[in-house]
Structures are given as C-alpha cells and as structure tokens.
Amino acid sequence: MKQSNIGIIGCGNISYQYAETLKSYEDIKIKAVYDIFKAKAEEFSLKYGGQVYETTEELLQDEDIDIVVNLTIPQVHGEINKQIIIAGKNVYTEKPIAMTYEESREIVDLANEKGLYFCSSPITFQGDTQTDAAEFLKQNKIGDIKLIAAEMHNGMFEHWHPNPTSLYNVGVLYDVGIYPITYITYLFGPAVKVKAFGNILIPNRVDLDGNSFNLDKPDYLYAEIELANGSLFTLTASFLIDYIKRPATVEFVGDKGVVKLGSSIFFRSSLEYANHFEPYTQVKDTSTAYDGIEWCRGLVDMARSISEGAKPKADPYHAVHVIEILEAIQKSIDENTTVKLDSTF
C-alpha cells in the first residue's frame, strides 16, 4: 500500500490522540509538524516524529507532504484551511471547518475548484458500533422512524483540560453538539429547520491554574431538528454532565419499536432493540469493537482514498450542512424563533 505523508499544524491536546491512533497504520507517516509555540512542536516531534518547521508557510512548501492535518484551535480553522488549499495541499481538518456556514462553504468550494481532497471531522459515523446501528436500522424492524433522541455532554472539563477557554469560547454546539448532529444527518439526510433553547447555567469557571473565567455562550441547550425525511431529531447537549457518567446515547423510535445506541461517539458501545412494551435485547456482541475513539480513522480513509482515486466516506458538503445546522441552532436560541435551512448534501 502506498505511503501517505502528512503534515500536522497544531500540536495541542488533540494532536496526541491522532498520533497515538496512527501508530497502527504503517502507510501513514507524520512527515512534518508546526505549532505557533515551537516547544510544543518539538515535544510532539520527539515522541511521534516529523520535521519541525518554523512557520506554516515552510511546512506547506514541503513537496513530500500529501495531506495537511489542521489541528489548530477552532477559531482559526477557516483561515488555516484556506491557506492550506491555496498552497495546493489536500486537507483533513478537525471540526469545525470554520466558525460560519458561509466561510465553510467557500472553503469546500475552493478545494473543489482546485481539485483537492477535503475532509472534516467528526467521523464517528465510521465507528464500529455506529456502523452496526446503521446496518440494523436498514432492516426496518422498528418501522418508520418518527423520533431520534440524542444526548451529548462534555462535563466541566476545566478540571482536566490544559486550555479550557479555547473550547468554552467555541461553545457546546461546536465542541460536542456537532457529533450527534453529524451522525444523525449522515444516517437520515439533511435537516430543514430547527428550534432551540439554551442557557448559561454555571457562568463562572476556574481552570487548573486557579484562574477564573466567565462563559459567554450557553453551557446547556436543547434543540428540535426537523429532518427532510420527516423524522424529528432532538438533541440535549451541555458542558455540565460528565460524558462518562451519562454516555452520548441515541434512541431511534419507530412506530413498531426502539433501537438504543449506548454512544454516538465511542466505537465500542451497547446496541439494543425492543418492540414497544417489550424488554430490550442485544442486537450484536460489540465486545470486539474498537475501544474508544479512533481519531485518525477518517484521516486514514481519506489517505487511502487518495491513493486509490476513490471518494472518502466523509463528504465535505455534509460537514458544511452540519455547520449551517449549528449556526441555525444558535440563531434560534438568540432570537427565540424557528430557523429554516438552505443547504443540503
């Protein structure tokens, strides 16, 4: 199998999770790294390899790099993604593509115009149990699906995260709400309108160094998302509840029964099915599924798709549509109104 060389921009917390999971793939090599804090890039390189570059521009000039992986903070994703595309490189970016729907669409359009591959996380729809759930739902044992009820939480992570303000400034929608929204729209197609409520319930937080900071975006939200196929998708998300204690469950409710997925993000999860008013039974033994999240799975799929001249599983216009949903939810919260969506995929 052809080797793919990647360059990583951004050597923060998430980069280590990508690098650890990449160890299993001999056909993917970390060729270059860059971070605005050189010491971070050097520390990462010492553990996982890759030439340390002084600037983003120098890394992008490396002709041996096949894919540039954007792992910077979300607020600069759009700027960095455009820079990578203009340099003529294929892009794999952490979510979101950019902080607005308009900029996200412009970026993907630009990549298409230049004939470049562009993929974005989340890719948890490629997870083992998530794929099993998709296959089981196709059997139509629960009938027409009327309701999809999902939860997604990331507890008060200032108690462990080295830079919590970078995520709190992005907000619960773009940090964690994006995961189930991506999964459900991957399964059932685009959304057409949303109505949402949100609030800041614990406004004052304290980081690991004892520094206090205030939230300016909701740490709790509830959204009703109407899908084009007629199903109603509800999402509860927060920066309050520990995701270990309350997993990211999804329940698919049909007119004949229910499928319950224990987690929309962890690849090894429970998967159960029941007719209405009957006890749940296990759909499949998931004990051999990948334990946790294989962060690099979408990147590996993209790299191999490039080598084979194939289409990756992650559709960039799906990711763009998800950004429009996030933007619409925030607008609905701010203006207390129902918001219609324009995009599809």
Side-chain angles (χ1 to χ4, degrees), residues 268-294:
R268 182 188 298 176
S269 170
S270 60
L271 181 59
E272 300 172 301
Y273 152 75
N275 291 322
H276 289 306
F277 309 111
E278 293 183 5
Y280 280 103
T281 58
Q282 183 175 262
V283 170
K284 182 178 180 180
D285 179 9
T286 60
S287 61
T288 59
Y290 185 92
D291 189 12
I293 303 172
E294 190 177 32

Side-chain angles (χ1 to χ4, degrees), residues 21-308:
T21 54
L22 275 172
K23 286 180 177 179
S24 302
Y25 298 95
E26 294 182 357
D27 56 317
I28 313 291
K29 180 182 179 182
I30 299 174
K31 175 71 168 51
V33 296
Y34 168 75
D35 193 279
I36 56 172
F37 300 104
K38 188 177 180 181
K40 281 190 173 184
E42 290 174 336
E43 181 181 356
F44 179 91
S45 175
L46 191 63
K47 188 169 184 178
Y48 299 109
Q51 179 180 345
V52 176
Y53 279 101
E54 297 288 336
T55 65
T56 299
E57 290 76 14
E58 288 181 5
L59 183 148
L60 294 177
Q61 290 170 7
D62 188 330
E63 295 182 356
D64 291 331
I65 293 176
D66 301 300
I67 303 169
V68 178
V69 184
N70 182 2
L71 303 180
T72 57
I73 60 172
Q75 292 88 340
V76 299
H77 279 187
E79 174 190 344
I80 299 297
N81 284 331
K82 280 186 276 191
Q83 192 174 356
I84 298 167
I85 293 167
I86 290 169
K89 300 290 189 184
N90 300 305
V91 184
Y92 186 91
T93 183
E94 248 303 313
K95 47 81 177 170
I97 297 171
M99 293 305 296
T100 68
Y101 162 66
E102 182 178 359
E103 185 179 14
S104 298
R105 190 170 196 94
E106 287 175 357
I107 288 167
V108 173
D109 285 344
L110 181 62
N112 271 349
E113 289 169 10
K114 290 185 171 290
L116 298 170
Y117 280 75
F118 188 101
C119 289
S120 173
S121 73
I123 50 75
T124 44
F125 57 83
Q126 297 180 31
D128 301 354
T129 312
Q130 291 72 28
T131 302
D132 291 338
E135 291 302 315
F136 184 77
L137 289 169
K138 290 178 183 177
Q139 298 178 28
N140 201 35
K141 289 188 176 182
I142 62 171
D144 292 334
I145 296 173
K146 304 298 184 181
L147 173 68
I148 305 112
E151 292 196 32
M152 183 68 208
H153 305 282
N154 193 3
M156 302 171 71
F157 53 86
E158 63 269 24
H159 295 288
W160 61 266
H161 198 288
N163 184 24
T165 55
S166 66
L167 298 181
Y168 277 116
N169 289 340
V170 171
V172 67
L173 261 178
Y174 286 81
D175 183 43
V176 295
I178 193 171
Y179 285 97
I181 291 173
T182 299
Y183 181 51
I184 299 308
T185 50
Y186 173 81
L187 292 179
F188 298 104
V192 292
K193 63 181 178 181
V194 304
K195 181 71 172 72
F197 164 84
N199 207 343
I200 301 176
L201 299 180
I202 303 181
N204 308 114
R205 307 291 182 112
V206 180
D207 67 18
L208 290 172
D209 296 323
N211 301 312
S212 62
F213 59 96
N214 295 322
L215 306 190
D216 61 2
K217 290 184 174 64
D219 55 7
Y220 167 85
L221 67 86
Y222 171 79
E224 293 184 349
I225 304 167
E226 185 178 319
L227 302 178
N229 73 352
S231 299
L232 178 65
F233 164 33
T234 65
L235 171 66
T236 304
S238 81
F239 280 154
L240 300 165
I241 301 170
D242 188 336
Y243 66 85
I244 300 297
K245 295 176 181 176
R246 191 177 183 90
T249 57
V250 184
E251 292 186 73
F252 305 90
V253 183
D255 50 19
K256 296 179 182 178
V258 181
V259 170
K260 185 176 181 180
L261 174 63
S263 175
S264 63
I265 58 169
F266 294 121
F267 290 7
R268 182 188 298 176
S269 170
S270 60
L271 181 59
E272 300 172 301
Y273 152 75
N275 291 322
H276 289 306
F277 309 111
E278 293 183 5
Y280 280 103
T281 58
Q282 183 175 262
V283 170
K284 182 178 180 180
D285 179 9
T286 60
S287 61
T288 59
Y290 185 92
D291 189 12
I293 303 172
E294 190 177 32
W295 294 93
C296 73
R297 188 169 293 192
L299 172 59
V300 172
D301 174 68
M302 177 185 177
R304 292 178 175 177
S305 296
I306 292 172
S307 296
E308 298 165 5

